């Protein structure tokens, strides 16, 4: 259809939305092509189509979010890796009627979602403009999601069908780039709307009445996008370095600081110029999964591969471990509303050996530790033990059924795991999970400024080490989706807690609000918005509660371990002194040594057959010490007495001389007693 459309010079041009919808509604127009032009509501929206999305993953994320909003259950994406010459996206969502498609093309930046018009078009629930017809929370709002494909291609095809209709619509879209060198009038229509490109639409009959969904086909991916996805700059640098080494130019080789990815989709140095030519694979793919691995297991294999890098590097990172394609899969898994690789944090049980805490919403509140049974979930423990019985809703079964995204045979999953990785030999032995809910009253904020209500659920997961390091930070999810990656600054947390901050993975699930603070790229926020300030303040309180608990537990553990170490050392001293005695005195009975608090008590012990020391007469034993220090010093004194007795050094010496000798030796090791200074 595209070739015919583009060669036609007298196709009907319909620039009015209502007229286009009316034309497409007529069955008599089936098989005929109509031309229209894309319209943006203002110049800003017209221009962002050139640079709103930073990476190809961001553009694909928006298409997946559109499928979610259309109540799709399955999204299938084919990327033609490692060539990336063609990208195909299919969903089994509601599809677009002629009214919906006409509005989309003529109202870029003016989404019908979250408003009554969306209810009329059937793109939102009849009783709630913030939900899909199937009851899901809507992700989209701005109305530029479809134009994310302009990041990938200047021309694409839309094929869409609504269940119960006997037609489908096919639209060929040709985008225009805005240029500062052109007159504004070149891009405006009579109604002062900006024109972004041409669309050629055909209505075709469909015999499958029950079919529904939307396909988007990008047949000509931009060369630079192809190079990004196939890591062309990286591979060329690697090849350049290899050539320098082969030529003996080691200085040039050393200046090329790039690592070959541990896992990648393969590399084709010279892409074929046309479909009739073959692309020769320069390097075969090295994927972290086997061909026999099912789609739902492959993201887990990808995580396994990244985690194995821990044996090679202290803090593995995605950039050096994966090529851009695999990193794109990882990023998409983080940013779209899909399941976790293993388990949602709220579905963890006591079998995971995690210590569970409930976060306080008070300014100076402290986290409450909860007990979690072996088969009990975090949700259940919170509801049973926290006052008010709060219910954690995030991660429960979604409305409109499950949501699955499959890319090139890989089912996307969120690449976040909650398993313990020790940070050091004597560090904490368990991970810690802090969970909380927050729904502040905004009555004191002017209604024009507050942006509606705000409610969230969240977790902060402390681990000995976060792998990969890109999973360190906080990730904000609004209605299940995230526009950005983890923020390692934790919304600019100012307290110097660098070590602990590097050990935290956190997600904040925004159930209401905050999306009004999203910038148009959906990857950054207006930090002056009240919702952003409230979320940041809550997060910083939560971090303080985590770090306070971590410090407290670490301190108690250090005390306990010092006591254990001292007991082991005391046992070793006792064993050593016994061995010395037996070596010198043979089968003679081992002398019993007592340390008495006073001279009188020491004398009584001697009468009972002990070698006794009076603590009050030996300053080294009479210092103000902790229990652990006192026990340690007493054990050393007793061992010293046995060794001296084994060599008959104490034989026939008066008790005062014995004690003076012990004190003299003890001072060599412990210095002058504190109470003498």
């Amino acid at each position: 259809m595209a070739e015919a459309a583009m060669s036609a010079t007298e196709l009907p041009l319909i620039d009015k939305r209502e007229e286009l919808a009316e034309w497409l509604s007529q069955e008599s127009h089936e098989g005929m092509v109509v031309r229209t032009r894309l319209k943006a509501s203002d110049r800003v929206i017209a221009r962002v189509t050139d640079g709103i999305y930073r990476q190809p993953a961001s553009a694909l994320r928006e298409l997946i979010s559109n499928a979610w909003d259309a109540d799709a259950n399955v999204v299938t994406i084919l990327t033609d890796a490692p060539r990336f010459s063609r990208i195909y996206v299919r969903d089994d969502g509601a599809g677009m009627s002629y009214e919906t498609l006409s509005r989309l093309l003529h109202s870029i930046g003016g989404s019908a979602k979250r408003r009554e018009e969306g209810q009329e078009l059937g793109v939102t629930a009849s009783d709630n403009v913030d939900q899909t017809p199937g009851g899901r929370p809507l992700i989209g709002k701005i109305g530029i999601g479809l134009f994310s494909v302009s990041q990938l291609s200047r021309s694409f095809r839309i094929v869409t069908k609504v269940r119960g209709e006997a037609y489908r619509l096919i639209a060929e879209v040709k985008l225009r780039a805005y240029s500062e060198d052109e007159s504004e009038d070149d891009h405006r229509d009579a109604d002062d709307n900006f024109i972004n490109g041409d669309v050629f639409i055909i209505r075709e009959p469909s015999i499958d009445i029950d079919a529904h969904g939307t396909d988007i086909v990008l047949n000509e991916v931009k060369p630079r996008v192809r190079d990004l996805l196939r890591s062309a700059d990286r591979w060329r640098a690697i090849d350049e370095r290899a050539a320098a080494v082969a030529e003996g130019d080691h200085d040039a080789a050393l200046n090329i600081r790039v690592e070959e990815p541990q896992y990648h989709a393969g590399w084709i140095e010279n892409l074929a110029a046309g479909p009739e030519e073959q692309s020769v694979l320069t390097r075969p793919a090295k994927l972290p999964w086997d061909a026999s691995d099912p789609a739902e297991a492959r993201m887990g294999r990808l995580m396994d591969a990244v985690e194995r890098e821990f044996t090679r590097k202290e803090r593995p990172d995605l950039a050096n471990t994966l090529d851009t394609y695999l990193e794109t899969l990882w990023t998409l898994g983080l940013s779209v509303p899909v399941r976790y690789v293993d388990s949602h944090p709220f579905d963890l049980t006591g079998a995971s050996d995690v210590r569970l805490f409930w976060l306080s919403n008070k300014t100076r509140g402290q986290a409450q530790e909860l007990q979690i049974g072996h088969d009990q979930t975090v949700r259940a423990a919170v509801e049973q033990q926290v006052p008010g019985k709060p219910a954690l809703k995030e991660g429960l079964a979604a409305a409109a059924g499950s949501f699955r995204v499959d890319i090139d045979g890989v089912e996307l999953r969120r690449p976040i795991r909650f398993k313990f990785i020790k940070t050091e030999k004597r560090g904490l032995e368990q991970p810690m999970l802090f969970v909380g809910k927050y729904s502040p009253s905004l009555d004191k904020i002017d209604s024009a400024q507050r942006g509606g209500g705000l409610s969230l659920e969240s977790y902060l997961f402390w681990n000995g080490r976060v792998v990969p390091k890109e999973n360190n930070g906080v990730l904000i999810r609004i209605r299940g989706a995230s526009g950005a990656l983890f923020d390692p600054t934790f919304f600019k947390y100012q307290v110097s807690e660098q070590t602990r901050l590097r050990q935290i993975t956190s997600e904040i699930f925004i159930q209401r609000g905050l999306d009004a603070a999203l910038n148009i790229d959906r990857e950054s926020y207006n930090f002056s918005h009240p919702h952003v300030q409230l979320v940041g303040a809550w997060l910083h309180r939560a971090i303080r509660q985590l770090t306070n608990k971590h410090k407290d537990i670490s301190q108690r553990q250090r005390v306990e371990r010092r006591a254990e170490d001292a007991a082991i050392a005391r046992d070793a001293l006792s064993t050593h002194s016994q061995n010395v005695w037996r070596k010198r005195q043979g089968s003679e009975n081992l002398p019993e040594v007592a340390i008495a608090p006073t001279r009188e008590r020491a004398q009584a012990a001697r009468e009972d057959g002990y070698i006794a020391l009076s603590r009050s007469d030996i300053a080294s034993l009479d210092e103000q010490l902790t229990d652990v220090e006192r026990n340690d010093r007493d054990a050393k004194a007793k061992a010293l007495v046995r060794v001296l007795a084994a060599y008959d050094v104490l034989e026939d010496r008066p008790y005062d001389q014995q004690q003076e000798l012990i004190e003299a030796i003890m001072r060599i090791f412990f210095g002058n007693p504190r109470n003498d200074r």
Side-chain angles (χ1 to χ4, degrees):
M1 197 259 308
E3 293 179 359
M6 296 306 293
S7 62
T9 57
E10 297 183 357
L11 290 174
L13 172 63
I14 302 179
D15 257 350
K16 298 290 186 180
R17 167 189 158 192
E18 295 79 5
E19 292 178 10
L20 179 63
E22 173 63 23
W23 194 94
L24 292 173
S25 71
Q26 297 180 27
E27 189 175 345
S28 60
H29 289 153
E30 284 184 351
M32 299 172 61
V33 178
V34 63
R35 177 184 168 218
T36 190
R37 293 184 294 184
L38 295 172
K39 302 291 183 66
S41 56
D42 56 43
R43 179 175 180 175
V44 173
I45 300 299
R47 296 192 64 187
V48 296
T49 59
D50 277 332
I52 182 173
Y53 300 109
R54 301 171 186 172
Q55 294 294 333
S58 302
L60 293 173
R61 176 199 70 212
E62 294 301 318
L63 296 181
I64 294 169
S65 295
N66 280 350
W68 167 272
D69 286 350
D71 283 331
N73 296 120
V74 179
V75 181
T76 302
I77 301 176
L78 302 176
T79 69
D80 187 38
R83 291 173 294 275
F84 303 104
S85 59
R86 181 177 186 267
I87 296 177
Y88 172 88
V89 181
R90 160 172 283 185
D91 72 64
D92 63 351
M96 288 182 281
S97 65
Y98 51 81
E99 296 103 326
T100 305
L101 181 62
S102 298
R103 190 194 188 288
L104 173 71
L105 299 175
H106 288 136
S107 302
I108 301 166
S111 174
K113 299 173 184 177
R114 321 255 189 121
R115 59 182 68 184
E116 291 182 2
E117 187 179 1
Q119 293 174 318
E120 296 171 2
L121 292 171
V123 298
T124 65
S126 59
D127 59 344
N128 189 336
V129 296
D130 287 328
Q131 293 183 350
T132 70
R136 289 175 177 167
L138 281 165
I139 295 174
K141 183 182 73 169
I142 301 172
I144 57 173
L146 184 61
F147 271 70
S148 60
V149 297
S150 69
Q151 173 78 19
L152 308 175
S153 175
R154 283 288 174 198
S155 65
F156 56 94
R157 172 182 290 190
I158 304 171
V159 182
T160 188
K161 164 115 180 23
V162 176
R163 186 196 298 272
E165 297 291 350
Y167 70 89
R168 65 174 182 167
L169 300 173
I170 303 174
E172 293 282 354
V173 181
K174 302 289 184 181
L175 297 174
R176 293 180 62 185
Y178 183 87
S179 172
E180 294 286 0
D181 295 331
E182 297 178 87
S183 167
E184 272 194 15
D185 294 337
D186 294 336
H187 288 268
R188 288 191 182 273
D189 67 1
D191 294 324
D192 208 32
N193 291 315
F194 271 84
I195 300 168
N196 293 81
D198 294 301
V199 187
F200 302 88
I201 311 173
I202 186 170
R203 169 176 167 152
E204 289 188 346
S206 174
I207 59 174
D208 189 350
I209 301 298
D210 291 331
H212 56 94
T214 299
D215 294 4
I216 297 178
V217 185
L218 289 73
N219 283 313
E220 297 179 5
V221 178
K222 293 179 180 179
R224 184 55 191 159
V225 173
R226 295 180 73 180
D227 280 350
L228 280 172
L229 286 169
R230 67 197 195 99
S231 304
D233 291 346
R234 184 175 186 176
W235 285 115
R236 286 167 182 152
I238 291 169
D239 289 344
E240 183 180 346
R241 183 176 60 190
V245 170
E247 295 171 1
D249 190 350
H250 297 292
D251 288 340
L254 288 173
N255 287 328
I256 301 174
R257 300 181 180 276
V258 62
E259 288 187 31
E260 183 170 332
Q262 299 296 306
Y263 301 93
H264 54 83
W267 163 239
I268 299 173
E269 183 178 2
N270 298 310
L271 293 171
E276 70 283 353
E277 298 182 22
Q278 294 289 325
S279 294
V280 179
L281 196 64
T282 309
R283 282 182 176 84
K286 183 183 177 184
L287 299 171
W289 53 77
D290 297 327
S292 60
D293 288 329
E296 61 270 20
R298 295 188 175 188
M299 283 295 286
R301 301 289 184 271
L302 180 60
M303 281 211 76
D304 293 341
V306 173
E307 289 172 351
R308 281 195 298 271
E309 287 296 287
F310 179 59
T311 62
R312 196 173 68 92
K313 297 178 65 176
E314 182 179 358
R315 297 191 73 204
D317 61 298
L318 297 177
N320 287 316
T321 305
L322 309 177
D323 69 350
T324 303
Y325 170 70
L326 292 177
E327 195 172 350
T328 296
L329 298 189
W330 185 288
T331 301
L332 286 173
L334 280 179
S335 61
V336 300
V338 293
R339 298 166 56 191
Y340 287 82
V341 163
D342 295 330
S343 172
H344 192 287
F346 296 165
D347 292 324
L348 294 174
T349 67
S352 65
D353 199 33
V354 65
R355 293 186 71 166
L356 178 62
F357 299 84
W358 179 254
L359 291 163
S360 170
N361 290 327
K362 296 180 180 178
T363 302
R364 299 187 179 277
Q366 295 295 319
Q368 169 193 355
E369 184 162 12
L370 308 180
Q371 302 304 312
I372 180 170
H374 186 272
D375 297 320
Q376 186 181 37
T377 65
V378 168
R379 300 177 196 277
V382 166
E383 195 163 2
Q384 291 175 15
Q385 299 175 50
V386 176
K389 300 184 180 300
L392 296 172
K393 299 179 180 179
E394 185 65 33
L396 296 177
S402 61
F403 186 68
R404 169 175 171 153
V405 181
D406 188 291
I407 300 184
D408 298 330
V410 179
E411 180 186 339
L412 290 185
R413 298 283 184 95
R414 290 182 187 171
I416 306 174
R417 276 180 171 152
F418 304 96
K419 67 179 186 180
F420 185 50
I421 302 175
K422 288 191 68 171
T423 181
E424 56 190 33
K425 183 178 180 181
R426 308 211 68 180
L428 297 188
E429 298 293 338
Q430 290 176 280
M432 297 190 295
L433 180 69
F434 293 74
V435 297
K437 289 173 68 80
Y438 182 52
S439 184
S441 172
L442 304 181
D443 293 342
K444 295 182 179 180
I445 302 176
D446 185 88
S447 59
Q449 302 294 324
R450 74 177 66 144
L454 174 68
S455 62
L456 62 86
E457 294 178 357
S458 181
Y459 75 84
L460 288 82
F461 182 71
W462 177 89
N463 203 350
R465 197 180 304 273
V466 175
V467 178
K469 69 179 184 182
E470 285 87 353
N471 278 13
N472 167 226
V474 62
L475 183 66
I476 308 295
R477 294 193 183 280
I478 300 178
R479 298 167 176 260
S482 169
L485 301 180
F486 284 94
D487 170 17
T489 73
F490 292 90
F491 271 45
K492 299 179 173 62
Y493 186 65
Q494 297 298 319
V495 181
S496 180
E497 289 282 359
Q498 293 306 311
T499 298
R500 288 185 179 87
L501 290 183
R502 284 198 299 267
Q503 297 169 332
I504 299 173
T505 294
S506 175
E507 291 180 271
I508 297 180
F509 308 106
I510 304 295
Q511 297 171 330
R512 184 185 180 196
L514 195 66
D515 55 354
L518 271 174
N519 290 327
I520 198 168
D521 62 357
R522 297 185 62 83
E523 298 183 2
S524 59
Y525 299 94
N526 172 8
F527 275 83
S528 66
H529 194 282
H531 287 186
V532 178
Q533 296 177 23
L534 285 167
V535 170
W538 183 89
L539 174 64
H540 295 171
R541 289 197 300 272
I543 293 174
R544 284 195 294 272
Q545 293 177 53
L546 183 154
T547 56
N548 287 341
K549 282 294 180 184
H550 186 276
K551 290 174 184 177
D552 180 56
I553 293 170
S554 298
Q555 176 62 28
R556 281 190 276 117
Q557 179 174 286
R558 282 193 293 270
V559 171
E560 292 169 359
R561 284 181 171 164
R562 279 201 297 267
E564 293 171 0
D565 291 346
I568 293 171
R570 290 195 295 272
D571 289 343
L573 280 172
S574 178
T575 300
H576 173 69
S577 64
Q578 291 176 35
N579 290 337
V580 171
W581 174 268
R582 293 192 179 99
K583 183 177 180 181
R584 296 290 304 176
Q585 300 293 334
S587 60
E588 289 292 323
N589 290 334
L590 183 73
E592 294 289 341
V593 182
I595 298 177
T598 64
R599 181 174 296 187
E600 291 75 15
R601 295 281 295 274
Q603 183 58 39
R606 291 172 189 134
E607 292 173 0
D608 289 334
Y610 288 85
I611 299 178
L613 303 176
S614 169
R615 192 181 300 278
S616 61
D617 291 330
I618 302 178
S620 297
L621 301 179
D622 200 33
E623 288 192 73
Q624 296 297 318
L625 304 171
T626 66
D627 290 343
V628 172
E629 290 173 332
R630 182 177 296 280
N631 292 336
D632 176 64
R633 197 163 292 190
D634 286 356
K636 290 177 178 177
K638 290 179 180 181
L640 175 59
V641 168
R642 289 195 187 100
V643 170
L644 293 176
Y647 282 89
D648 300 320
V649 174
L650 303 179
E651 190 74 23
D652 298 328
R653 289 183 183 274
Y655 295 130
D656 288 347
Q657 281 191 18
Q658 290 181 10
Q659 295 190 141
E660 288 173 4
L661 178 60
I662 299 301
E663 169 66 0
I665 296 174
M666 295 286 282
R667 286 200 180 193
I668 292 173
F669 297 107
F670 300 111
N672 290 327
R674 296 174 193 146
N675 53 16
D676 281 356
R677 294 173 188 171

